[in-house]
Amino acid sequence: MTAGHISIVLDGTPTKVPAGSTLRETIARHIDRELDASSAPIDGGRLGVAVAVDGMVVPRGDWHDHLMVDGAAVDVVTATQGG
Amino acid sequence: MDDTVNIAGVELDSRLIMGTGGATSLATLEEALVASGTQVTTVAIRRYAAAGGNSVFAMLERLGVHALPNTAGCFTARDAVLTAQLAREALETEWIKLEVVADEDTLLPDPLELLTAADELVADGFSVFAYTNDDPILARRLEDVGVAAVMPAGAPIGTGLGILNPHNISMIAEAAHVPVVLDAGVGTASDAALAMELGCDAVLLASAVTRAHDAPLMARAMSAAVRAGRDAYRAGRIPRRSLARASSPAEGRIAVP
């Protein structure tokens, strides 16, 4: 483990994030969009993603207060072609 | 002619629901969706990285089509419930097309897991569009737990075999007090027309269009077929007879001397 970083599994891929990162910061980096404190995109568009941590849905309103912990499995999902 | 259908509180002019699965490109998909005239389309819920970002969501936003997220790929009620909760959060909709299948080869619904998941999701406030077998009793049980629509398969997903048991589909449509949407199995336009003639309220299809040689043209064909089938159903077909019945008058026929 790199000093100052923790390891999480982000969308199935082992990923290092700075220790003390919030879920909101982690997701913003992953989807490459800036998010405000309520996790709404600052570009004005709809977010279109949802997040589960260790198999439990974390509502976007809680992302800001959700601190990443070492070993967490974070799944970020969106709509794709299907059905 | 005003013949809308109300599904889960939304009034729809089009009785064709086109799914987004199977298209070779987003551009072709968009063209087909527009040609189909659909106002609702299904989407799958997948990891952001695997989905290649947000492009499908953005396209539906642009087209103003209602997204109906599905739980495709779920084999247990537990997986389906989590997927539905993620879909609600991601797409900001209570609508969920509930698919809980038994195995990869048939992709047929697992009745027990399906009913369990439907019950849980209805209790959690979802409008459940239940993809089900062509079993009238299971359809009734799903309605009993409060699903918004019953969606029996005509044939297994992606087979294009049409409606294998028209009698059962007709029984489901006749008995239901919620909209019945024929879902899966449609191969060509006549299958979609038949579904409507049997009394279904709408048809949901994807592969029949997206995997056709000319997807937008097939989308147009499906749209026309659904309208034709619906009109025929409303018009009331003539009864089947075993012997011929002349439509020209018997009187005044010329007799050869």
Side-chain angles (χ1 to χ4, degrees):
Chain A
M1 185 170 112
T2 315
H5 284 71
I6 57 168
S7 294
I8 63 168
V9 180
L10 182 58
D11 267 2
T13 305
T15 306
K16 291 194 187 315
V17 297
S21 294
T22 64
L23 185 55
R24 179 175 68 87
E25 291 161 346
T26 306
I27 302 306
R29 204 175 305 117
H30 188 53
I31 66 173
D32 197 23
R33 286 170 92 181
E34 265 191 79
L35 305 177
D36 69 16
S38 64
S39 295
I42 64 161
D43 58 29
R46 287 169 71 196
L47 186 59
V49 303
V51 172
V53 177
D54 297 328
M56 296 286 289
V57 180
V58 181
R60 66 184 65 162
D62 296 345
W63 294 358
H64 183 65
D65 297 321
H66 189 110
L67 286 177
M68 300 313 305
V69 297
D70 196 50
V74 179
D75 283 305
V76 185
V77 301
T78 187
T80 189
Q81 288 182 44
Chain B
M1 186 175 58
D2 188 26
D3 180 34
T4 59
V5 59
N6 187 306
I7 304 184
V10 174
E11 207 70 31
L12 301 171
D13 296 314
S14 170
R15 291 171 178 268
L16 174 60
I17 300 176
M18 202 192 120
T20 59
T24 49
S25 76
L26 268 188
T28 307
L29 175 62
E30 180 165 347
E31 212 184 320
L33 281 171
V34 171
S36 76
T38 192
Q39 294 164 291
V40 178
T41 190
T42 60
V43 289
I45 297 297
R46 290 292 180 270
R47 282 177 169 160
Y48 187 85
N54 244 352
S55 49
V56 171
F57 181 72
M59 182 185 73
L60 299 184
E61 286 271 280
R62 194 172 65 249
L63 296 179
V65 176
H66 291 279
L68 172 59
N70 68 29
T71 63
C74 291
F75 293 89
T76 65
R78 193 164 166 265
D79 284 349
V81 168
L82 175 62
T83 303
Q85 289 168 340
L86 285 166
R88 173 164 65 183
E89 177 77 8
L91 305 186
E92 299 166 45
T93 176
E94 307 286 329
W95 285 12
I96 191 73
K97 176 185 167 183
L98 178 59
E99 292 183 41
V100 195
V101 298
D103 61 66
E104 295 275 9
D105 287 336
T106 66
L107 295 178
L108 285 171
D110 180 319
L112 304 183
E113 295 291 323
L114 172 66
L115 196 60
T116 302
D119 200 13
E120 279 184 42
L121 290 171
V122 169
D124 195 12
F126 283 90
S127 290
V128 177
F129 295 58
Y131 167 63
T132 180
N133 294 300
D134 59 4
D135 174 356
I137 308 307
L138 181 57
R140 189 197 300 163
R141 295 296 294 269
L142 287 164
E143 191 179 331
D144 287 346
V145 301
V147 301
V150 170
M151 308 212 294
I157 293 170
T159 60
L161 289 171
I163 299 178
L164 297 177
N165 193 336
H167 182 65
N168 273 20
I169 297 297
S170 169
M171 281 174 71
I172 292 170
E174 209 166 298
H177 301 94
V178 294
V180 173
V181 182
L182 192 284
D183 181 4
V186 170
T188 188
S190 52
D191 300 330
L194 175 60
M196 299 307 292
E197 288 170 2
L198 292 171
C200 292
D201 296 282
V203 172
L204 197 165
L205 54 86
S207 307
V209 164
T210 57
R211 295 188 169 130
H213 179 65
D214 184 336
L217 186 57
M218 187 59 93
R220 201 173 75 187
M222 291 298 181
S223 172
V226 165
R227 273 184 279 116
R230 174 65 183 170
D231 284 351
Y233 173 75
R234 294 178 77 205
R237 61 152 298 141
I238 60 168
R240 288 182 172 85
R241 300 165 53 92
S242 56
L243 294 176
R245 182 185 181 192
S247 58
S248 302
E251 296 78 29
R253 281 183 289 196
I254 300 166
V256 177

